[in-house]
């Protein structure tokens, strides 16, 4: 009887490991998509932007794999306590990572348009903001793999840096548009790109909160803090 119980526990652990591996793969792809989408702007490379757009489907497929696998685990294993939190965490993370992939795809779509018009100076601020977001994604994925609640907390705190960079860029782009109407088209696309990067930071923050709860069994301290986003406005992007 003990051997059978050991086998069941071992089998469940293997299934959780597989689930974690899919999440890690999704995270790596999402991070790569962000890097490539920004590079397509800096290099004015519309072919690279198209690759980002087409590659988004790989993340969607992995999200569906996580959903199907997690639902099967919940139905067949009926996990409790920490095991249940691990499965639910994977479900939540897959959704946030899929959204990060969508946002990177939206950036690539904007890049294709930007690459057809003369560049303006604030373009240089976009890679800096994206680099910070990419570092946050990498660190939060490390926190997930290492089950490190403190690292997840530190990642969560860094989101304010992304917000501050976004607010600064927002004001700079508004100034450009007011100074010369010829800058309006490019500046508008850059505003949407910056907002997408800021939202990527928000999804990384969601992931950090989910990881912290998974490990500690309680909400992250300060989770209800208001966002200091002086330039907050609605951004609606196509999800096709």
């Amino acid at each position: 009887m003990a051997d059978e119980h050991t086998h069941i526990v071992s089998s469940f652990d293997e299934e959780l490991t597989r689930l974690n591996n899919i999440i890690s793969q999704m995270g790596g792809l999402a991070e790569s998509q962000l890097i490539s989408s920004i590079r397509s702007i800096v290099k004015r490379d519309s072919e690279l932007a198209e690759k980002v757009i087409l590659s988004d489907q790989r993340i969607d497929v992995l999200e569906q794999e996580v959903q199907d696998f997690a639902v099967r685990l919940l139905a067949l294993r009926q996990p409790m306590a920490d095991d249940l939190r691990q499965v639910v965490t994977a479900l939540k993370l897959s959704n946030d990572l899929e959204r990060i992939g969508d946002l990177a795809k939206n950036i690539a779509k904007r890049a294709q348009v930007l690459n057809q018009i003369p560049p303006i100076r604030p373009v240089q601020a976009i890679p800096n903001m994206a680099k910070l977001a990419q570092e946050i994604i990498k660190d939060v994925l490390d926190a997930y793999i290492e089950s490190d609640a403190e690292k997840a907390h530190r990642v969560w705190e860094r989101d304010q840096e992304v917000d501050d960079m976004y607010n600064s860029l927002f004001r700079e782009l508004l100034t450009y548009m007011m100074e010369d109407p010829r800058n309006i088209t490019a500046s508008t696309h850059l505003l949407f790109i910056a907002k997408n990067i800021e939202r990527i930071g928000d999804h990384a923050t969601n992931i950090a909160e989910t990881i912290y709860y998974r490990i500690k069994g309680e909400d992250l301290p300060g989770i209800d803090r208001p966002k200091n986003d002086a330039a907050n406005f609605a951004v609606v992007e196509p999800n096709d």
Side-chain angles (χ1 to χ4, degrees):
M1 191 72 173
D3 288 344
E4 182 181 351
H5 175 72
T6 301
H7 173 73
I8 290 172
V9 171
S10 175
S11 177
F12 184 64
D13 287 343
E14 289 171 1
E15 289 171 326
L16 285 178
T17 297
R18 181 186 166 194
L19 197 58
N20 290 341
N21 288 341
I22 301 171
I23 292 295
S24 295
Q25 189 179 355
M26 279 189 76
L29 283 172
E31 184 183 351
S32 176
Q33 288 283 86
L34 173 60
I35 292 169
S36 295
S37 67
I38 299 303
R39 186 175 295 142
S40 73
I41 297 171
V42 174
K43 302 292 186 182
R44 297 179 68 83
D45 187 341
S46 294
E47 287 187 13
L48 178 58
E50 185 63 21
K51 287 179 182 177
V52 172
I53 294 166
L54 296 175
S55 296
D56 180 62
Q57 188 176 2
R58 294 165 62 196
I59 298 179
D60 295 341
V61 169
L62 286 174
E63 184 200 22
Q64 189 60 53
E65 188 175 341
V66 170
Q67 302 281 335
D68 294 344
F69 193 55
V71 167
R72 188 172 70 83
L73 276 180
L74 291 171
L76 297 180
R77 301 292 189 179
Q78 298 181 353
M80 302 291 288
D82 184 63
D83 289 339
L84 177 60
R85 287 205 299 270
Q86 286 193 60
V87 177
V88 172
T89 293
L91 281 168
K92 289 184 174 181
L93 263 61
S94 69
N95 181 66
D96 279 306
L97 290 170
E98 190 274 335
R99 286 299 301 134
I100 289 173
D102 282 346
L103 291 164
K105 179 179 68 174
N106 290 340
I107 291 170
K109 288 180 177 180
R110 295 278 173 183
Q112 288 182 321
V113 179
L114 269 176
N115 293 344
Q116 306 305 313
I117 56 182
I120 60 174
R121 196 175 69 197
V123 168
Q124 300 307 314
I126 292 292
N128 295 332
M129 187 179 175
K131 185 174 185 297
L132 177 58
Q134 183 245 324
E135 288 173 358
I136 289 173
I137 294 171
K138 180 182 182 302
D139 288 347
V140 83
L141 290 172
D142 287 345
Y144 174 69
I145 293 167
E146 299 163 11
S147 293
D148 189 333
E150 295 312 311
K151 182 174 284 188
H153 196 175
R154 289 195 297 272
V155 169
W156 181 81
E157 290 177 331
R158 292 195 71 190
D159 181 57
Q160 186 60 52
E161 297 176 44
V162 179
D163 293 344
D164 290 344
M165 291 183 76
Y166 170 69
N167 291 333
S168 175
L169 181 57
F170 182 91
R171 288 188 290 268
E172 184 179 359
L173 287 167
L174 283 185
T175 301
Y176 260 70
M177 286 190 278
M178 288 187 290
E179 286 178 349
D180 189 343
R182 291 173 297 182
N183 293 328
I184 290 176
T185 299
S187 295
T188 300
H189 286 297
L190 289 175
L191 276 175
F192 275 89
I193 289 169
K195 187 62 179 178
N196 282 329
I197 297 171
E198 188 261 347
R199 288 170 65 191
I200 285 172
D202 287 345
H203 283 287
T205 299
N206 291 345
I207 292 172
E209 292 170 0
T210 302
I211 292 169
Y212 189 93
Y213 182 81
R214 207 285 289 168
I215 298 167
K216 297 287 191 178
E218 59 186 29
D219 287 337
L220 199 151
I223 195 171
D224 295 325
R225 70 179 180 192
K227 280 183 71 67
N228 180 24
D229 188 354
N232 191 32
F233 69 103
V235 175
V236 179
E237 293 278 11
N239 289 318
D240 53 351

